[in-house]
Amino acid sequence: MNTTRAEPRNGFDRFFDISARGSTLSREIRGGLATFFTMAYIVVLNPLILGSGVDSTGGKLAIAAVASATALVAGVMTILMGVVARFPLALAAGLGVNALVAFEIAPHMTWADAMGLVVIEGVLIAVLVLTGLREAVFRAVPTQLKTAIGVGIGLFLALIGFVDAGFVRRVPDVAGTTVPVGLGIGGKLVSWPALAFGVGLLLTVVLVVRKVRGAILIGILVSTVLAIIIEAIAKAGPSSVDGKPNPKGWSLNVPVLPDKIIDKPDLSLFGHFNVLHSWQTAGVLIVIMFVFTLLITDFFDTMGTMVAVAQEGELLDEQGMPPRTREILLVDSVAAAAGGVASTSSNTSYIESASGVAEGARTGVASLVTGALFLVAMFFAPLVTVVPFEAASVALVVVGFLMMTVVRTIDWSDYEIALPAFLTIVLMPFTYSISNGIGAGVVSYVVIKVAAGKAREVHPLLYGVAVLFIVYFLRGPLELLF
């Protein structure tokens, strides 16, 4: 952690530790903008995922209402993170968790019941924070394993960026296929969106190497402008037209200027949750398994995200802990419950916040900026759709590189920590899950230490965490059993 402290200029500076953390107001604003642009896609993507799900009664959520609620909860919770935790971390509906709610939980009950389980999960995590257990678990994780978590998330971010941009694609499951993913379409970059991404990435890399202020934000904006020009000329269109795939199209947002700029938000889904009814309709064991899965995912995803963002900003202390850890975790748990209350699924901390930190953000002021932009997005939702995945993904790839640089601090000659670190790092991108990587690292670390006759070197809490992760990895067979 940077120990150089500068004298605060005023009360605002003193409250947020802007000068003390070696930052400036302009850097915080720039960082907040970069974070928003790299995660604004969630306002569009979350409604598409939740809107695709059908509950046990055949009911569906209104896409416009989910979009408005997604922006509102993200805005309020991110601002709360800035004020309470004073940390540059943004929150929004969690990807992966929303798919779990839409396609696994909702079919067993009503949408109100499913969102009630999200509220229960958020409350349980808040209790764990207030009792100090969540922070204690994180302190029990070895420092080098925490470093590996940050590195793994960096690789995960880079993979997300390449996939979202269409630069890396899943290879169809056909006879003779030997690789799961490949370059572009059929091993070739033949789409206009790929060109926009490639040019934006090269530009951003050059700006980062030359240490240009605002390099990542400039890269996003220039890529967006280029994408708008390309679409105006080439008419690539969306990736799906009338249900038919268009592999050469834009992956989510088509970069065209909207017909209208302002749209009235629909907040009709707020308060549509039920915390008790699902226990009767779906059964106690099924509900417990769903809540457990949500809990484990949120519990450890946030820990990994928090340390990775702090690591990028050189804000970790000697024990590998970010400043105001308890406050960060508490706001995150409140956000999880708030997502259920608003029918947007569990809200969680976003690793895309690292793009803002890479732009210089070090305090909660950046979160205020990002949160305010989400609130504005409720009314200016059409403008949010102008920035395509291919432009925002530029930031994710570059940030992934920056986060990977600390891999050199892991002692690779000590296999007892190196192997768990390796599994943590590689399984995050390979399984598309932060929790899976953390779980593999913790379980393998405990097993290796016990096998080496060094069981006493393992913190007692880690044994409990390892058991929970084993249950988590075996949840498929357990669900079939119960």
Side-chain angles (χ1 to χ4, degrees):
M1 182 175 178
N2 186 3
T3 57
T4 303
R5 300 186 65 88
E7 287 298 320
R9 297 183 178 90
N10 49 50
F12 184 81
D13 187 329
R14 184 180 300 107
F15 181 81
F16 286 102
D17 285 333
I18 299 175
S19 296
R21 295 185 186 176
S23 186
T24 64
L25 186 58
S26 62
R27 288 181 185 174
E28 297 299 316
I29 293 173
R30 195 167 65 235
L33 285 168
T35 295
F36 174 76
F37 282 120
T38 54
M39 61 182 288
Y41 66 84
I42 194 61
V43 179
V44 178
L45 188 55
N46 193 47
L48 293 180
I49 293 174
L50 290 178
S52 299
V54 179
D55 69 9
S56 60
T57 67
K60 301 190 74 172
L61 295 177
I63 289 180
V66 176
S68 298
T70 298
L72 178 58
V73 176
V76 172
M77 290 298 108
T78 300
I79 290 173
L80 191 65
M81 179 67 76
V83 174
V84 175
R86 305 169 203 172
F87 191 69
L89 197 60
L91 304 97
L95 288 173
V97 176
N98 54 7
L100 173 68
V101 172
F103 305 121
E104 292 189 40
I105 298 179
H108 291 271
M109 57 195 75
T110 66
W111 280 110
D113 294 339
M115 294 304 168
L117 296 189
V118 174
V119 172
I120 292 172
E121 175 251 335
V123 171
L124 288 176
I125 291 183
V127 171
L128 294 176
V129 173
L130 293 173
T131 57
L133 182 61
R134 196 178 188 188
E135 186 177 349
V137 167
F138 196 59
R139 289 187 181 277
V141 177
T143 300
Q144 291 193 63
L145 206 52
K146 291 175 186 172
T147 300
I149 291 171
V151 175
I153 290 176
L155 282 177
F156 183 32
L157 265 185
L159 179 60
I160 291 173
F162 282 123
V163 171
D164 286 350
F167 197 87
V168 172
R169 295 175 186 250
R170 182 182 293 108
V171 176
D173 292 325
V174 296
T177 298
T178 57
V179 293
V181 293
L183 177 69
I185 302 171
K188 301 175 183 178
L189 298 175
V190 293
S191 69
W192 288 108
L195 174 64
F197 169 76
V199 172
L201 179 60
L202 290 175
L203 170 65
T204 307
V205 167
V206 170
L207 294 176
V208 169
V209 171
R210 294 181 65 86
K211 302 187 185 303
V212 175
R213 289 185 177 180
I216 293 174
L217 184 57
I218 292 172
I220 295 172
L221 295 177
V222 171
S223 299
T224 300
V225 172
L226 176 60
I228 292 172
I229 296 172
I230 287 175
E231 177 59 23
I233 298 172
K235 305 293 184 183
S239 59
S240 177
V241 180
D242 296 328
K244 297 180 180 179
N246 173 29
K248 295 184 180 180
W250 305 93
S251 53
L252 180 64
N253 295 339
V254 179
V256 294
L257 295 177
D259 296 330
K260 59 179 180 178
I261 296 177
I262 300 177
D263 199 9
K264 182 181 178 181
D266 179 358
L267 303 178
S268 60
L269 289 177
F270 268 80
H272 285 203
F273 68 96
N274 190 317
V275 297
L276 298 176
H277 190 248
S278 59
W279 298 84
Q280 301 171 1
T281 56
V284 174
L285 291 176
I286 288 178
V287 168
I288 289 175
M289 187 59 67
F290 281 145
V291 172
F292 175 75
T293 303
L294 288 170
L295 185 69
I296 288 292
T297 302
D298 266 354
F299 191 98
F300 290 98
D301 271 16
T302 298
M303 287 186 174
T305 299
M306 175 182 70
V307 74
V309 171
Q311 190 169 275
E312 172 65 22
E314 298 182 354
L315 296 173
L316 295 175
D317 60 20
E318 294 77 11
Q319 296 179 317
M321 301 293 289
R324 301 178 69 83
T325 296
R326 179 166 293 191
E327 287 82 356
I328 294 171
L329 296 176
L330 181 60
V331 173
D332 181 84
S333 61
V334 171
V341 171
S343 295
T344 67
S345 174
S346 178
N347 275 233
T348 189
S349 301
Y350 261 58
I351 190 55
E352 281 87 345
S353 306
S355 61
V357 174
E359 280 292 353
R362 296 292 183 274
T363 77
V365 176
S367 296
L368 299 185
V369 175
T370 303
L373 289 172
F374 269 117
L375 295 181
V376 170
M378 276 199 309
F379 301 92
F380 292 86
L383 277 182
V384 174
T385 63
V386 173
V387 181
F389 260 175
E390 289 76 6
S393 295
V394 167
L396 302 184
V397 174
V398 174
V399 171
F401 156 73
L402 295 174
M403 293 176 67
M404 241 197 96
T405 57
V406 295
V407 72
R408 64 186 183 277
T409 63
I410 297 173
D411 184 2
W412 295 104
S413 64
D414 181 1
Y415 284 10
E416 291 180 13
I417 189 64
L419 280 169
F422 168 75
L423 292 174
T424 299
I425 291 170
V426 298
L427 283 178
M428 285 188 191
F430 287 172
T431 65
Y432 234 63
S433 167
I434 294 174
S435 291
N436 289 346
I438 296 175
V442 170
V443 171
S444 61
Y445 176 78
V446 171
V447 170
I448 288 171
K449 285 295 185 182
V450 171
K454 300 178 180 179
R456 292 185 178 181
E457 293 183 9
V458 179
H459 193 288
L461 280 175
L462 275 192
Y463 286 107
V465 173
V467 170
L468 288 176
F469 267 119
I470 290 172
V471 174
Y472 172 75
F473 288 132
L474 295 176
R475 67 190 186 280
L478 290 174
E479 286 173 2
L480 293 175
L481 180 63
F482 295 117

